[in-house]
Amino acid sequence: MATDRPLLGIALMLGFCMLAPLGDALAKLLGPEMAVGQLVFLRFAFQAGLLLPLALLTRRPLRMTRRVAALVALRTILHILGIGLVFTALLYLPLADAIAIAYVMPFIALLLGHWIFGETVGPRRLIACAVGFAGTLMVVQPAFAEVGWPALLPLGVALVFALFMLTTRAIAPSTDAIAMQAVSALLALALTGPALLLFSDAPGLGWAPPSARGWGLIAAMGCAGTFAHLLMTWSLRYAPTATLAPMQYLEIPFATAIGLLLFDDLPGPLATLGIAVTMGSGLYVILREHRDARARPVPKPIHSGTPPA
C-alpha cells in the first residue's frame, strides 16, 4: 500500500470531513418526514446500489473466510446501530453538538484498545481522556438541560463506533474496502428489511412514501455517506494514520458551518468551550501516539546462513 503521497491522503480525508457531516445534515432534514428505521434502510440501499455493481464490474472478490465473514457481520450490526443512534440524536440535537459529543469516541477507542488488545495506555493519555470527557460533558450539559435524555445518545454513538473501528481494524488489512462495504450493505438490508416489515407499528420503524424532494435528499444522503467512508479508507493508502487522525476533528467545524447554513444553529458558549477542550485533548492523545510510534525502535531483521526461498 502506497504511503508516499501524503498530500493526496490529506485531500481524501478532507473530503471525508466535508461529506460525513453533510450526510448527517441531510438525515436531519429528512427526520420529520420518515422514521429512523426507514432512513437507515434507504441509506444502506443506496450503498448497495452504488457499490455492488462497482465491485462486480471491477471483479473484486466478494467471498470471505468464515472468520472475516463473522467480523463483517458484527461490523454491519454495529454500523446499523451507530447510524440509527446518529439519526435519532439528530431529531433532537443541533448537528455540531451531536458530532462534538460523539467525538469522545477516540478516548473510548483508546481504552478499549487497552482492554481488548493489551495496548499500553500511560498516565498522560488517561489524564487526556479524562479532560476530553470533561469537555464532552460541557457540551452535553446545556443540551441535556434543553432536550433531556436524547442528549446522551451521541455517547452511545461514540461507544458503538469505537467498537466499529476496532472491528474494522481487525479485518481491513485482508479485505478490499469496496467489496467489504458492498457485502455489508447487503447484510444490512437483510437485517433491516424484515424488521421494517414485521414491526412496522413499533416506534421508529414505520414506512412513509417519500416525496419527490424526499427521494432527492435520500439519494444525496446515501451518496454522501457511502463516499465519505470510501474516502476515509482510501486516504489511509496514501498517508499514515498519524498524519490523518488529527484532520478528523475538522469534521466538527464543518458540521458547525453546515448546521449554521441549513438550520441556523450555533453551539452556545459552554458548548463551544467544551468542543475546544475535547478537540485539544484528542489532538494531544494523537500527537502522543505519533511521538511514541516514532521513538519506538524498529526491530532488526534476523539473518541466517540460509537464503530465503
Side-chain angles (χ1 to χ4, degrees):
M1 290 173 48
T3 57
D4 57 347
R5 301 175 67 183
L7 291 180
L8 177 57
I10 289 171
L12 291 169
M13 181 57 74
L14 184 62
F16 165 81
C17 292
M18 297 172 66
L19 284 178
L22 177 59
D24 292 337
L26 293 169
K28 184 174 176 66
L29 287 172
L30 287 163
E33 299 182 20
M34 58 191 68
V36 169
Q38 181 179 354
L39 279 176
V40 173
F41 177 85
L42 291 171
R43 158 69 175 78
F44 283 106
F46 271 88
Q47 180 173 322
L50 290 168
L51 296 186
L52 184 60
L54 179 60
L56 294 175
L57 287 173
T58 55
R59 298 183 179 181
R60 297 171 186 270
L62 297 178
R63 290 188 177 183
M64 302 173 180
T65 65
R66 185 175 299 178
R67 171 186 173 275
V68 171
L71 288 173
V72 169
L74 173 61
R75 179 183 182 273
T76 301
I77 293 171
L78 292 170
H79 203 179
I80 293 170
L81 182 58
I83 289 179
L85 287 171
V86 169
F87 289 174
T88 304
L90 290 173
L91 293 174
Y92 304 94
L93 296 173
L95 181 64
D97 286 10
I99 290 178
I101 296 169
Y103 259 93
V104 75
M105 182 188 69
F107 311 126
I108 295 176
L110 186 71
L111 297 176
L112 289 177
H114 171 67
W115 292 329
I116 296 175
F117 295 108
E119 297 173 348
T120 302
V121 180
R124 294 181 180 179
R125 289 183 181 84
L126 290 176
I127 292 172
C129 287
V131 172
F133 190 73
T136 301
L137 292 179
M138 294 167 69
V139 185
V140 170
Q141 191 275 330
F144 189 84
E146 183 174 349
V147 303
W149 67 266
L152 303 178
L153 288 172
L155 295 177
V157 174
L159 176 60
V160 168
F161 273 108
L163 294 170
F164 173 85
M165 294 301 293
L166 290 173
T167 306
T168 302
R169 182 197 303 180
I171 56 179
S174 58
T175 310
D176 177 79
I178 291 177
M180 177 177 65
Q181 293 199 87
V183 171
S184 182
L186 293 177
L187 287 173
L189 294 179
L191 292 171
T192 57
L196 289 175
L197 290 174
L198 296 174
F199 306 103
S200 58
D201 294 332
L205 292 180
W207 185 275
S211 62
R213 170 183 175 273
W215 278 118
L217 292 175
I218 291 165
M221 176 191 69
C223 292
T226 299
F227 285 111
H229 279 274
L230 283 177
L231 288 174
M232 174 187 277
T233 303
W234 286 332
S235 70
L236 294 170
R237 296 186 178 186
Y238 300 105
T241 303
T243 300
L244 298 175
M247 290 196 61
Q248 294 182 32
Y249 280 96
L250 289 175
E251 190 177 343
I252 296 177
F254 277 121
T256 303
I258 293 171
L260 178 61
L261 290 173
L262 294 183
F263 308 105
D264 199 25
D265 287 333
L266 271 179
L270 183 59
T272 301
L273 179 59
I275 289 172
V277 171
T278 301
M279 291 177 65
S281 301
L283 291 173
Y284 173 80
V285 168
I286 292 167
L287 292 174
R288 286 287 303 181
E289 294 287 344
H290 180 46
R291 194 178 81 171
D292 287 359
R294 292 184 63 184
R296 193 175 298 122
V298 179
K300 296 181 179 180
I302 299 175
H303 297 284
S304 64
T306 305

